[in-house]
Amino acid sequence: MTERRRAIVLCRSVADRICARCTRALSVACAALLAAALSWPGVADPYPVNADIDVEHYRFAIELSDDSDRIRVQARIDVRLAGDGSDTVILDLVNRKDGETGMSVESVSVDGRTMNYQHQDDRLAIALSDAILREGRVAIDVDYSGVPETGLIIGDNKHGVRSFFSDNWPNKARHWLATVDHIADKATAEFIVTAPQRLRVVSNGRRLEESSLGGGMKRTHWRQGVPISPWLYVLAASEFAVQHVDDFEHKAIESWVYRQDRDAGFYAFAEPTKDALGFFAAYVGPFEYEKLANIQSNSVGGGMEAASAILYGDDSVSDERPRSRRWQTVIVHEIAHQWFGNSVTEASWDHVWLSEGFATYFTFLYFEHAKGREAFARYMIEARERANEFSAERPDYRLLHDDLRDMKDVTTRQIYDKGAWVLHMLREQIGDANWWHGIRSYYSRYRNGLADSADFQREMESACQCDLAAFFEYWLQSGSTVNLDIAWHHDADAGLLQIDVDRSGHTTGSPPLELELAIYFPGEALPERVSILLDNNGGNVSLQAARKPLSLLPDPGTRLLARWTIAERNPSGLTADPGD
């Protein structure tokens, strides 16, 4: 048992002895216990989750104003009490301190009964009496207000129009939403937004209501019926132009763009949304959500994959025709996240490659489907170049985090690029049919739930009926840099071509690797291909060759994540004409 767990157990044990005698109005001792729980070092984990409670549904009634950045929120949180230690519910909610930002709680009730609470250190702790605990499920109402420091961005968009856009990634929902703000705590949610009449409001899921309230205000109600993590909750309110683009499996595809960008925005998001949805649904599994909305916003730079309601930066819309490759790639990447990251969610940020690496690789697979193998290879080669540059600077960096504590370290470029390459090399190792079978099984088993890297490994091992422990250990849990020095020499007298490969970098624990070479001979239209099996030191091959090659091309099939040099070796043993 960890020190943190010991602290929590001790705290709960004391709580049992004190709070068992508490009446509806909690005693001073219970209130003090709550304060101690909030400040206890063992509970000071910046990203906690309480396994003894399970939030099933959030309902946020939110008031937005043109006169102030202050928001008012009435939150109802439906909680299932899942364990013996669930006598305290702790929610993440940033409290107001000395400045102007933060939330102030006005009241808390549980099943209609007013409760004592402690709100400090960005935690809202609510103690439950024995009578409540026996009920098994509780509805917690929290009324609060304040100015979000972040999480909900309030300000002018690029056209000077006051707007409201969420930005919850990775743990910023707590700045404006009372939640268990943890990637592993998935729940359904609804947003009932009262806002100035000029604004159109979009959120996750299906719109249930849009009504004028008079007095220049209106009410919009959205409900997400599929459980998702709090960082995926979205709220966008601006002067939007809205287009119903099409339907996919009876679900709406929509574009929400600033009214000033109507024509350019409708063009920008028209493609390739439906085709990408069709590709992922056919090859991976069903699209889970009630709609797919592409939304122009000022809260992100590129894209943010909020479930069913994707946010794209201000500059995602322009007069550029045809659509740039970059933005087409971003759109497909965020759509891929609807399957990987949103539906199948990594159990902790330690396993974020299951989200970003997957979305990156499946974007490349979509373009292979839409534009052919050459387009796919171009994406893979570009990702390899970026991954190699990163590895040269940080050779010990590994894809699988170890008890990540600082949220600024969740992702790097390597999570995307090397993560995609790990999936690609796995596909090459076990074969297309096995790989796709494993992917579909993984998605089916964990959709709308949680998975970690071990879960994914088990599904792929089941698909190929093979042991992948060495593969996953090497590529996920070490720097796993593969550096190859390739030297070749043609002996005209003997009619032999000798190729030697020296390997360096992280070799400990490496599974066998295979390097393919394309050898171009004069007068031959097609190259001869040869494969060299590499151990920790490298490998070599000798083959009959009457003529000296014109050139050698490593990895012509784009199958291996490695960096290399290649040079002809003179008879003296020295090399010349080095190149990549």
Side-chain angles (χ1 to χ4, degrees):
M1 184 183 292
T2 65
E3 290 303 318
R4 180 183 306 132
R5 186 64 182 163
R6 287 191 186 94
I8 293 172
V9 170
L10 176 61
C11 183
R12 285 177 180 157
S13 176
V14 176
D16 288 341
R17 293 195 295 271
I18 298 178
C19 291
R21 298 189 295 274
C22 293
T23 60
R24 248 179 102 183
L26 289 177
S27 68
V28 173
C30 272
L33 179 69
L34 291 177
L38 285 170
S39 59
W40 195 288
V43 193
D45 184 341
Y47 212 63
V49 63
N50 182 353
D52 293 322
I53 67 168
D54 177 25
V55 177
E56 297 182 322
H57 184 73
Y58 295 100
R59 182 181 185 271
F60 298 107
I62 301 175
E63 296 179 16
L64 307 178
S65 170
D66 274 339
D67 299 326
S68 168
D69 290 347
R70 179 172 295 276
I71 63 172
R72 299 192 62 83
V73 183
Q74 293 178 312
R76 166 157 288 193
I77 303 143
D78 295 326
V79 176
R80 181 173 65 88
L81 306 174
D84 294 337
S86 53
D87 52 359
T88 302
V89 173
I90 298 180
L91 302 174
D92 296 296
L93 184 66
V94 171
N95 54 285
R96 185 173 177 180
K97 302 177 181 70
D98 295 333
E100 294 297 318
T101 61
M103 297 294 129
S104 298
V105 174
E106 296 159 13
S107 67
V108 173
S109 62
V110 177
D111 291 339
R113 291 168 281 190
T114 300
M115 304 298 291
N116 280 6
Y117 59 87
Q118 289 289 326
H119 188 204
Q120 63 186 57
D121 299 330
D122 302 333
R123 308 280 181 84
L124 175 62
I126 306 159
L128 306 179
S129 67
D130 274 359
I132 292 173
L133 287 171
R134 286 193 293 270
E135 294 172 6
R137 279 181 168 80
V138 295
I140 300 173
D141 290 294
V142 183
D143 290 357
Y144 61 93
S145 64
V147 177
E149 179 182 1
T150 186
L152 183 66
I153 309 303
I154 305 172
D156 291 348
N157 66 19
K158 69 178 184 179
H159 298 293
V161 175
R162 179 176 169 82
S163 304
F164 302 78
F165 288 102
S166 58
D167 177 25
N168 292 335
W169 187 90
N171 65 335
K172 293 186 288 190
R174 64 189 69 191
H175 283 271
W176 64 294
L177 299 176
T179 59
V180 177
D181 191 10
H182 193 286
I183 190 172
D185 201 82
K186 301 178 78 168
T188 56
E190 56 193 304
F191 285 78
I192 304 167
V193 182
T194 301
Q197 185 75 39
R198 65 180 181 82
L199 299 175
R200 300 199 70 174
V201 176
V202 59
S203 185
N204 311 93
R206 179 180 290 109
R207 187 173 61 194
L208 303 181
E209 178 188 359
E210 187 177 61
S211 301
S212 176
L213 300 178
M217 303 296 285
K218 74 175 180 182
R219 170 188 170 108
T220 310
H221 186 178
W222 289 87
R223 191 181 195 282
Q224 169 73 41
V226 182
I228 57 175
S229 303
W231 76 272
L232 294 168
Y233 297 157
V234 69
L235 173 62
S238 190
E239 294 179 6
F240 286 118
V242 183
Q243 181 187 41
H244 180 96
V245 179
D246 206 337
D247 289 299
F248 175 74
E249 296 180 347
H250 309 293
K251 299 172 181 180
I253 299 172
E254 300 172 348
S255 297
W256 293 67
V257 301
Y258 304 151
R259 60 176 177 78
Q260 296 89 343
D261 294 332
R262 176 189 177 277
D263 293 340
F266 288 171
Y267 169 81
F269 292 132
E271 297 290 342
T273 299
K274 185 173 184 179
D275 193 51
L277 286 169
F279 173 75
F280 296 130
Y283 281 85
V284 179
F287 174 65
E288 287 296 300
Y289 304 113
E290 295 94 335
K291 70 166 186 310
L292 197 288
N294 291 316
I295 306 164
Q296 185 183 13
S297 83
N298 68 353
S299 62
V300 299
M304 182 53 64
E305 63 270 21
S308 81
I310 302 170
L311 300 177
Y312 302 89
D314 265 341
D315 296 332
S316 61
V317 172
S318 70
D319 292 326
E320 182 181 34
R321 306 278 177 111
R323 191 70 161 133
S324 74
R325 176 176 179 259
R326 181 210 169 201
W327 280 110
Q328 280 199 340
T329 301
V330 171
I331 290 171
V332 177
H333 180 97
E334 307 310 334
I335 293 172
H337 270 306
Q338 305 302 304
W339 280 260
F340 301 110
N342 296 7
S343 180
V344 179
T345 303
E346 54 269 39
S348 78
W349 289 115
D350 285 348
H351 301 267
V352 68
W353 85 279
L354 293 173
S355 175
E356 296 300 351
F358 274 60
T360 301
Y361 189 57
F362 276 83
T363 298
F364 300 168
L365 290 174
Y366 168 76
F367 283 108
E368 181 180 33
H369 154 80
K371 298 185 178 181
R373 179 71 184 188
E374 190 173 320
F376 170 79
R378 179 184 172 190
Y379 277 106
M380 292 304 303
I381 290 168
E382 291 170 348
R384 179 167 60 194
E385 290 171 352
R386 291 190 297 265
N388 284 337
E389 289 173 2
F390 187 100
S391 290
E393 296 178 2
R394 300 177 64 180
D396 294 325
Y397 184 86
R398 62 187 204 168
L399 291 188
L400 194 60
H401 296 308
D402 182 15
D403 193 21
L404 183 70
R405 302 297 298 270
D406 192 334
M407 290 299 104
K408 71 177 177 57
D409 296 327
V410 170
T411 61
T412 63
R413 184 71 248 180
Q414 195 74 328
I415 295 291
Y416 296 74
D417 294 321
K418 189 174 181 178
W421 262 98
V422 169
L423 290 171
H424 183 57
M425 290 186 294
L426 179 61
R427 179 185 171 199
E428 291 290 333
Q429 178 166 322
I430 68 175
D432 259 19
N434 288 336
W435 191 85
W436 279 111
H437 175 73
I439 289 293
R440 285 188 285 269
S441 177
Y442 171 69
Y443 180 72
S444 176
R445 182 178 297 273
Y446 296 105
R447 72 179 184 179
N448 299 326
L450 303 168
D452 62 21
S453 301
D455 297 322
F456 177 60
Q457 178 182 331
R458 281 192 296 271
E459 293 303 317
M460 301 311 284
E461 288 179 332
S462 177
C464 70
Q465 293 297 296
C466 59
D467 184 353
L468 296 171
F471 178 93
F472 278 88
E473 176 76 19
Y474 180 71
W475 288 109
L476 296 185
Q477 300 199 54
S478 75
S480 54
T481 54
V482 179
N483 301 319
L484 305 176
D485 292 315
I486 306 166
W488 61 275
H489 171 64
H490 181 254
D491 186 334
D493 293 335
L496 291 176
L497 176 64
Q498 178 70 30
I499 305 171
D500 297 303
V501 182
D502 289 332
R503 178 180 174 185
S504 60
H506 286 265
T507 59
T508 302
S510 172
L513 303 178
E514 189 174 317
L515 172 67
E516 185 183 31
L517 290 163
I519 306 171
Y520 292 84
F521 290 100
E524 298 292 334
L526 297 175
E528 181 176 340
R529 296 200 178 200
V530 61
S531 291
I532 304 175
L533 192 64
L534 305 176
D535 61 21
N536 288 351
N537 298 314
N540 59 76
V541 68
S542 180
L543 62 151
Q544 295 291 324
R547 290 168 294 177
K548 180 180 177 179
L550 294 171
S551 62
L552 278 68
L553 175 65
D555 195 31
T558 319
R559 295 188 172 96
L560 180 63
L561 177 58
R563 62 187 308 153
W564 52 73
T565 62
I566 183 166
E568 180 182 2
R569 186 176 61 242
N570 293 327
S572 64
L574 300 176
T575 56
D577 302 322
D580 292 330

